[in-house]
Amino acid sequence: WDIEAEIAPGNADVFGFRIRGRDVTYHVKEKRFSNGDAAGDLSAKDGSVRIRILADRTSVEVFGNGGEVVIPCCFLPGESDQSLALYAQGGTARVTSMEVRKLKSIWR
């Protein structure tokens, strides 16, 4: 997946994506962005967080606010798990814009 989104945290405590079983999460009060066990500080700009996520067979790379924070991580999801979800906890967040593109295989 190649996901680009701009999200206004609203009154949510946490919002994020679940990609093939892996959570990519923004913790609003802590101003902290996490990709599995790896994390980095990220403040909202003009009330929103800009996110780009590149997910392939064995990795999820996260870019916050145009590269202000970059969190690449390797992981091995179940091969049949192609799931993708967006969620908020403890309140609501607003998706200002989002584009999701499925990446094509370079091997086919």
Side-chain angles (χ1 to χ4, degrees):
W1 300 102
D2 180 357
I3 304 163
E4 289 186 82
E6 185 170 332
I7 301 174
N11 64 353
D13 294 330
V14 172
F15 68 83
F17 292 85
R18 185 163 293 120
I19 303 165
R20 301 183 73 192
R22 180 175 194 87
D23 284 322
V24 174
T25 309
Y26 185 71
H27 303 269
V28 178
K29 291 178 185 169
E30 294 85 3
K31 298 179 183 175
R32 195 131 176 93
F33 205 30
S34 64
N35 179 5
D37 293 333
D41 295 332
L42 184 69
S43 295
K45 303 263 187 206
D46 299 322
S48 293
V49 176
R50 288 189 348 255
I51 302 165
R52 183 158 189 199
I53 302 170
L54 298 173
D56 65 16
R57 290 178 192 231
T58 61
S59 68
V60 174
E61 297 178 69
V62 178
F63 304 85
N65 290 339
E68 190 174 300
V69 66
V70 178
I71 309 170
C73 288
C74 293
F75 85 116
L76 296 172
E79 192 170 319
S80 64
D81 187 351
Q82 297 297 315
S83 63
L84 176 62
L86 176 62
Y87 63 90
Q89 297 173 343
T92 58
R94 183 173 52 86
V95 177
T96 306
S97 67
M98 184 164 55
E99 189 170 344
V100 179
R101 296 173 291 277
K102 190 166 184 175
L103 296 175
K104 294 180 182 178
S105 173
I106 63 168
W107 304 107
R108 297 181 199 172

